[in-house]
Amino acid sequence: MTSIFYPDCSSISGNSRWKATAVSPHNGSILRRDGTSAEDEFGYVYREHQSEFRYRLQAEDGSIIWERWQSPNEDSPHELIVADDGTVVARTHGFRPELIVIRRDGQITIRVAIESTDAPDDREGVDGEAVWVDTMQCTTAGNFWTSYSWPYFLSSPRGQLFVWRTSSGQRIVIDPVNGLLIPAEGVEYDGIADLLDTTERQETLNLLVRVCEKKPLLTHLLKDPGEEFDNAAMAELSRVSAAVIISGFHRVREAIPSLKNLEDLDWPSYSTSTTGMRGYSIEVQYLRPLIQHSLKLMDEVPARYPCYYFTSSAGRYPVKTIERRAQELRKLGPRMKPKDVLNAVGTPDYVHDYSVKSGRFYTWQETWEYDEFDGQEWVTTVLLWKEKMMISGSLVSVETVEASWKRSPDRLRDILQH
């Protein structure tokens, strides 16, 4: 059984008037609802699969406005969001994830089940409303769908709304007071679409500006990840990637200075194998690929800080910024060695690996992509590497093509899935 962890969670409204909490006796925070201790239970002993959460909304003076306990057929919470009027949205996580909307008077107005678009589009086994999202990753640790997403409240002509925007741009729009789900197609949604765009543009711009102000804090955190920082600062930093994506999606040119300010952050995300350079791994940056992608969507040329480092036991392979890279790219050709390529044109802007069936077996291929802008249009030079036994991959071809990422989300989707 894969472990799923449910720490206690809390959230404070933007105006600081309301605080929502969800705490579990299995975290040692409280006693169970019947007043007994949970210290002999699995969730308490191993601090995983915690349940029996107690939800509360408290006013600024600490008084309890309402209290409810997790029901037996309900997944445990992973996130709380509180509006300035005291409305609470709880996001549960597990194999039946939901959004649970609770008014300030303690009434649950709507529960929205979150389903995968890969699942049957029917209502069997779903109580109440449901939304099918294309960002769902179904794993043994639960169904994840909120990576790089952006939840928010806003005021509209019909009253307060709650929106959860996924990384793909899909919006879940809820009228929390009346407990209504507003479909993404129809006259009602069309009437608020511009307002949603404007709100997302402004909120993400504001957050990027604030994060730039806290850049020394973020730089220090990346160098010393064990140090603790206040929850408010960490909450903002956790949303910066989504803000970067949305700024590019909406072409928020006012965000360009902030994006360029954050581009030099050295923020390693993960390492993986590479077909092109045997004996090395690829260390992938977390924020730079997103920043550079958003800048390019607005026809801004990034500073070309590496999105990828080739690493070995000796450390990162040294790279430098290549002046007049477009000219050097035209000199590349098949059978070149990977180090010669890196020395000539630097690290790629985007790396994509995939397997191809060859006879009875599958072999790995890898493309390195370099984007260039001539002032009018973008083109991409694609280097194809194929797997060879015991040696670095062979550079098979070099091709310059139309920059497909300008019209297709495939590159961004691939970056986000890793």
Side-chain angles (χ1 to χ4, degrees), residues 7-13 18-23 53-58 66 68 74 76-83 87-92 98-102 151 153 162 164 235 239:
D8 293 344
C9 49
S10 65
S11 179
I12 298 176
S13 62
W18 313 102
K19 180 180 181 180
T21 59
V23 296
F53 275 82
R54 184 197 68 195
Y55 292 83
R56 274 183 177 176
L57 178 69
Q58 293 175 267
W66 56 255
R68 72 173 292 266
E74 178 182 299
S76 296
H78 259 184
E79 187 173 1
L80 301 174
I81 304 166
V82 191
T87 300
V88 176
V89 176
R91 176 179 65 82
T92 67
E98 289 181 294
L99 296 178
I100 304 173
V101 180
I102 311 168
F153 285 94
F162 175 77
W164 203 304
R239 303 185 77 194

Side-chain angles (χ1 to χ4, degrees), residues 3-59:
S3 297
I4 307 179
F5 301 97
Y6 296 98
D8 293 344
C9 49
S10 65
S11 179
I12 298 176
S13 62
N15 60 7
S16 301
R17 290 188 59 193
W18 313 102
K19 180 180 181 180
T21 59
V23 296
S24 168
H26 297 141
N27 288 320
S29 310
I30 57 171
L31 295 174
R32 301 175 69 220
R33 190 174 189 177
D34 62 5
T36 61
S37 171
E39 60 184 9
D40 294 330
E41 297 184 8
F42 180 91
Y44 184 99
V45 174
Y46 296 99
R47 289 296 199 270
E48 59 187 62
H49 299 282
Q50 299 95 323
S51 60
E52 300 183 62
F53 275 82
R54 184 197 68 195
Y55 292 83
R56 274 183 177 176
L57 178 69
Q58 293 175 267

Side-chain angles (χ1 to χ4, degrees), residues 134-387:
D134 59 3
T135 56
M136 184 77 79
Q137 293 181 312
C138 300
T139 76
T140 57
N143 299 339
F144 294 85
W145 64 277
T146 60
S147 297
Y148 307 99
S149 64
W150 188 267
Y152 60 97
F153 285 94
L154 79 157
S155 297
S156 76
R158 66 166 293 161
Q160 179 178 246
L161 297 175
F162 175 77
V163 183
W164 203 304
R165 184 190 193 278
T166 71
S167 62
S168 67
Q170 179 180 356
R171 289 165 171 153
I172 302 169
V173 184
I174 299 171
D175 174 345
V177 174
N178 299 303
L180 298 173
L181 183 65
I182 300 176
E185 296 85 19
V187 174
E188 189 170 11
Y189 182 88
D190 292 343
I192 61 172
D194 287 344
L195 177 60
L196 302 184
D197 288 348
T198 300
T199 302
E200 291 171 4
R201 290 171 62 95
Q202 191 60 55
E203 284 200 357
T204 54
L205 175 61
N206 292 344
L207 184 134
L208 288 171
V209 170
R210 292 196 301 271
V211 170
C212 284
E213 293 171 351
K214 298 174 182 175
K215 186 178 176 183
L217 168 71
L218 179 53
T219 302
H220 184 70
L221 176 63
L222 293 172
K223 291 180 179 179
D224 185 11
E227 189 164 337
E228 293 292 332
F229 293 97
D230 66 271
N231 291 335
M234 291 303 298
E236 289 201 331
L237 295 180
S238 69
R239 303 185 77 194
V240 65
S241 56
V244 169
I245 294 168
I246 294 171
S247 67
F249 180 88
H250 286 309
R251 309 300 196 268
V252 185
R253 299 198 62 81
E254 299 88 344
I256 290 173
S258 295
L259 295 175
K260 290 187 173 182
N261 185 307
L262 298 172
E263 190 183 350
D264 66 345
L265 286 172
D266 191 347
W267 192 337
S269 178
Y270 66 92
S271 292
T272 187
S273 60
T274 170
T275 296
M277 204 161 167
R278 178 81 61 174
Y280 283 75
S281 297
I282 297 181
E283 178 191 282
V284 184
Q285 289 282 302
Y286 173 63
L287 209 54
R288 281 181 198 163
L290 303 177
I291 289 175
Q292 293 187 7
H293 185 78
S294 288
L295 286 172
K296 291 173 189 176
L297 288 174
M298 293 183 276
D299 290 337
E300 290 288 321
V301 177
R304 291 207 180 107
Y305 292 100
C307 293
Y308 305 86
Y309 290 97
F310 292 86
T311 63
S312 67
S313 58
R316 291 172 171 173
Y317 186 81
V319 294
K320 60 182 180 180
T321 301
I322 308 298
E323 300 296 334
R324 299 162 65 182
R325 191 176 73 170
Q327 296 182 21
E328 298 301 321
L329 284 166
R330 288 194 287 269
K331 298 176 184 178
L332 302 182
R335 295 184 295 278
M336 286 187 69
K337 302 296 184 184
K339 290 184 179 179
D340 292 336
V341 171
L342 294 177
N343 293 337
V345 296
T347 57
D349 300 331
Y350 169 62
V351 174
H352 177 61
D353 63 331
Y354 53 96
S355 61
V356 176
K357 190 171 185 179
S358 178
R360 294 183 302 159
F361 304 99
Y362 284 85
T363 60
W364 283 97
Q365 297 186 6
E366 185 172 279
T367 57
W368 296 1
E369 299 188 10
Y370 296 81
D371 304 316
E372 293 293 326
F373 185 59
D374 64 5
Q376 296 294 324
E377 62 181 5
W378 289 89
V379 295
T380 300
T381 300
V382 182
L383 281 59
L384 174 62
W385 304 86
K386 288 188 177 181
E387 185 176 36

